[in-house]
């Protein structure tokens, strides 16, 4: 039995940038928490900003990852349901449009809520670091805007759904 070597697809610029940003967030979080733990348990002191910084970076990392996951086709996909239409071009095309519209509407709802939180956060500061608390909901706003734009482009270009998730259990 021979196994074919599988070479991964080249990483695009967007994917590379998002991966780098997530790695930076994770690295700063890890160093911050590690230093805080060493100082707290080794020397009886700590860095008060460590927890706040880690929380902020974690939120940003999650939404950067969510944005990067969309064009890579790594978000939740109900391929077992939509896959039933893969041999029926017209219903599949219609369902693809419905799905893309639902994604855009979902992004609009989350984005609207995030925008409201950004506006509220402009007038308040975090307790320890003093950054505007608008920085916490801002990545949700940016993420939903980016995903909505990507879904709109796919809708306009009539990009077929990626059903490559069919092997996964859903």
């Amino acid at each position: 039995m021979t196994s074919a070597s599988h070479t991964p697809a080249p990483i695009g610029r967007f994917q590379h940038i998002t991966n780098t940003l997530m790695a930076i967030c994770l690295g700063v979080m890890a160093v911050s928490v590690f230093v805080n733990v060493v100082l707290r348990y080794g020397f009886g002191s700590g860095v008060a900003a460590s927890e706040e910084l880690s929380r902020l970076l974690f939120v940003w990392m999650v939404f950067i990852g969510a944005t990067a996951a969309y064009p890579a086709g790594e978000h939740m996909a109900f391929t077992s349901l939509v896959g039933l239409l893969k041999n029926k071009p017209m219903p599949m095309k219609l369902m693809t449009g419905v799905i893309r519209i639902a994604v855009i509407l979902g992004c609009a709802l989350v984005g609207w809520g995030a925008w409201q939180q950004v506006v509220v956060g402009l007038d308040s500061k975090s307790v320890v670091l003093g950054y505007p608390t608008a920085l916490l909901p801002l990545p949700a706003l940016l993420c939903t805007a980016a995903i909505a734009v990507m879904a709109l482009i796919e809708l306009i270009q009539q990009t077929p759904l990626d059903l490559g998730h069919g092997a996964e259990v859903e």
Side-chain angles (χ1 to χ4, degrees):
M1 176 182 246
T2 61
S3 64
S5 64
H6 176 68
T7 52
I11 296 176
R13 173 173 268 167
F14 177 74
Q15 202 72 30
H16 180 71
I17 290 169
T18 55
N19 287 348
T20 302
L21 289 173
M22 287 187 297
I24 290 169
C25 287
L26 185 61
V28 171
M29 285 169 47
V31 169
S32 172
V33 170
F34 177 76
V35 167
N36 194 37
V37 167
V38 169
L39 288 174
R40 179 162 291 149
Y41 292 105
F43 302 100
S45 67
V47 180
S50 173
E51 195 175 314
E52 202 170 87
L53 177 64
S54 294
R55 180 176 51 246
L56 178 65
L57 290 175
F58 182 74
V59 170
W60 276 87
M61 186 177 64
V62 165
F63 283 104
I64 291 168
T67 306
Y70 185 81
E74 295 174 352
H75 273 283
M76 185 186 302
F78 297 98
T79 53
S80 56
L81 297 174
V82 181
L84 298 172
L85 301 174
K86 69 181 174 185
N87 294 328
K88 300 173 183 164
M90 219 34 210
M92 181 64 167
K93 190 173 184 178
L94 180 65
M95 186 55 68
T96 300
V98 168
I99 290 169
R100 299 269 160 68
I101 290 168
V103 167
I104 293 167
L105 289 175
C107 285
L109 291 172
V110 173
W112 176 248
W115 171 250
Q116 290 174 328
Q117 291 301 307
V118 166
V119 170
V120 168
L122 289 173
D123 294 331
S124 59
K125 304 275 185 203
S126 70
V127 177
V128 178
L129 291 174
Y131 62 81
T133 56
L135 288 177
L136 281 168
L138 182 61
L141 175 64
L142 298 175
C143 171
T144 56
I147 290 175
V149 167
M150 289 184 273
L152 181 61
I153 290 169
E154 290 173 340
L155 181 66
I156 292 168
Q157 294 179 346
Q158 298 181 357
T159 306
L161 284 177
D162 178 13
L163 297 178
H165 305 286
E168 298 174 14
V169 176
E170 298 179 19

